[in-house]
């Protein structure tokens, strides 16, 4: 017997179940803790599709971001480099953004409108994000798109300044053009990590000129093929915003509240990098081994970065090297010889994979209350 009402009911409850379990998370989903007073947004603001020189449709970029648990992406198509134009003509340069926006409509993923302003050196490449209209950024003179981006209240950052194709020494060269843009308030950030490359010299420029520290994938192919299959995560920027919204994210970028991340490498200003690492390591337990003054401490790394540390306490470890690693998502036990029984101890570790300035790694402290 066929009962149509029963069939409809069954269909509804199955749909409900599917909706409740609706998730696009892949095996390599990102996870970073919030820091005091801010939510940590995981963003990749430098991405290409077939609407410039990338190899995939914009919807795939949205799906990739959902699989990796990103909070925000920007499809920053080259305005001036359009190798697929004969097959995919698109006089409206906002097309890629609009397709991504439609795909992300049902999801909690922020799509930031953006474009890559593309010239040879010394102008180089820059991304303008939070623009209103990409079409208005098209011009021959390189100054024009920067002026227009400022008019649109966009956040603009210098892309891959150390890229060897534009700087054969592999070092960034701050040209008069960029100096002028900084002076005019038309350039606000700089990539210190782009694709697989990290340039300490770009970090030095960021600190010297008060530019926001950025890390991006600049992906053209598939995230899975270029990063995940090789055991890597894509580089991202962690943005410390007051809330998860476009407006809040933009404010945080202008105020330089970021950390650039690529796997175990973390780069950012001390006031954001230190609390991030502090929140990334949770003290699970601390107690003395029976009849001893050897303190057993269990630590858990809740971030997606493997964290490498060096002991900076006055106390030595009982059984491990002073240099040790806590892999992403894993727990380890260290034994500290405190020589006498204490109620609490300050665990002090230097984060060897983290940089607040070239060759400068932060020391992080945790207050350990002993059972
Ligand atoms: Zn570029
Ligand atoms: Zn690019």
């Amino acid at each position: 017997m066929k009962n149509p009402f029963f069939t409809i009911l069954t269909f509804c409850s199955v749909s409900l179940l599917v909706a409740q379990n609706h998730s696009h998370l892949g095996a390599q989903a990102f996870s970073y803790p919030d820091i005091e007073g801010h939510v940590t947004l995981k963003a990749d603001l430098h991405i290409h599709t077939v609407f410039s020189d990338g190899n995939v449709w914009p919807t795939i970029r949205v799906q990739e971001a959902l699989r990796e648990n990103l909070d925000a992406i920007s499809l920053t198509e080259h305005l001036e480099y359009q190798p697929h134009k004969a097959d995919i003509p698109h006089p409206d340069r906002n097309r890629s953004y609009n397709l991504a926006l439609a795909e992300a409509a049902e999801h909690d993923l922020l799509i930031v409108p953006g474009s890559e302003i593309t010239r040879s050196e010394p102008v180089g490449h820059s991304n303008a994000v939070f623009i209103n209209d990409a079409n208005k950024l098209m011009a021959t003179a390189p100054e024009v798109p920067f002026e227009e981006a400022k008019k649109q209240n966009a956040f603009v950052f210098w892309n891959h300044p150390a890229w060897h194709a534009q700087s054969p020494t592999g070092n960034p060269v701050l040209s008069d053009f960029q100096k002028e843009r900084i002076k005019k308030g038309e350039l606000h950030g700089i990539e210190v990590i782009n694709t697989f490359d990290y340039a300490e010299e770009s970090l030095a420029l960021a600190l010297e000129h008060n530019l926001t520290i950025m890390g991006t994938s600049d992906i053209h192919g598939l995230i899975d093929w270029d990063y995940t299959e090789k055991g890597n995560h894509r580089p991202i920027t962690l943005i410390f915003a007051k809330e998860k919204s476009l407006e809040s994210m933009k404010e945080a970028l202008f105020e330089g509240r970021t950390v650039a991340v690529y796997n175990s490498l973390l780069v950012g200003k001390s006031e954001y990098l230190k609390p991030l690492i502090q929140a990334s390591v949770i003290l699970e337990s601390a107690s003395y081994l029976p009849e001893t003054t050897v303190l057993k401490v269990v630590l858990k790394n809740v971030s997606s970065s493997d964290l490498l540390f060096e002991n900076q306490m006055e106390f030595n470890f009982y059984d491990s090297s002073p240099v040790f690693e806590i892999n992403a998502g894993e727990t380890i036990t260290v034994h500290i010889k405190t020589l006498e029984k204490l109620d609490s101890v300050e665990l002090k570790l230097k984060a060897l994979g983290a940089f607040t300035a070239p060759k400068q790694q932060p020391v992080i402290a945790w207050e350990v209350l002993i059972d």
Side-chain angles (χ1 to χ4, degrees), residues 31-48:
S31 168
Y32 287 94
D34 293 338
I35 64 170
E36 177 134 26
H38 296 100
V39 293
T40 301
L41 301 180
K42 307 170 291 293
D44 185 1
L45 301 182
H46 191 163
I47 293 175
H48 296 279

Side-chain angles (χ1 to χ4, degrees), residues 73-232:
I73 57 168
S74 185
L75 305 186
T76 49
E77 313 296 357
H78 295 284
L79 289 165
E80 301 83 359
Y81 182 53
Q82 295 273 321
H84 302 305
K85 206 165 138 190
D87 294 309
I88 308 169
H90 55 286
D92 178 8
R93 292 306 167 81
N94 301 303
R95 190 71 191 129
S96 173
Y97 162 72
N98 285 325
L99 287 165
L101 195 64
E103 178 69 11
E106 304 283 296
H107 299 285
D108 195 20
L109 174 71
L110 301 172
I111 308 293
V112 182
S115 284
E116 183 163 4
I117 302 163
T118 313
R119 299 288 190 283
S120 24
E121 69 281 8
V123 174
H125 298 189
S126 294
N127 275 354
V129 292
F130 297 97
I131 54 173
N132 304 326
D133 184 358
N135 299 314
K136 292 189 178 150
L137 269 63
M138 309 268 292
T140 312
E143 293 81 5
V144 177
F146 287 86
E147 279 164 22
E148 177 59 31
K150 192 182 177 187
K151 261 189 226 163
Q152 297 186 17
N153 295 314
F155 174 83
V156 182
F157 58 96
W158 185 11
N159 297 342
H160 45 71
W163 183 29
H164 61 75
Q166 293 195 324
S167 179
T169 59
N171 281 344
V173 180
L174 189 75
S175 68
D176 288 342
F177 182 84
Q178 274 114 17
K179 285 180 193 159
E180 188 68 14
R181 304 282 83 67
I182 294 171
K183 212 169 86 188
K184 289 190 158 178
E186 294 171 355
L187 187 65
H188 318 103
I190 182 169
E191 287 180 345
V192 302
I193 302 171
N194 173 287
T195 318
F196 315 119
D197 305 333
Y198 165 55
E200 293 182 66
E201 299 80 4
S202 301
L203 173 60
L205 284 178
L207 298 173
E208 193 184 334
H209 297 275
N210 197 26
L211 298 170
T212 299
I213 294 166
M214 306 292 293
T216 71
S217 72
D218 201 354
I219 186 74
H220 290 72
L222 286 169
I223 288 289
D224 247 18
W225 294 359
D226 287 8
Y227 291 101
T228 320
E229 266 188 8
K230 294 174 178 142
N232 297 314

Side-chain angles (χ1 to χ4, degrees), residues 314-326:
E314 55 179 307
F315 305 124
N316 293 332
F317 288 158
Y318 171 70
D319 56 357
S320 57
S321 161
V323 175
F324 65 100
E325 192 168 29
I326 321 178

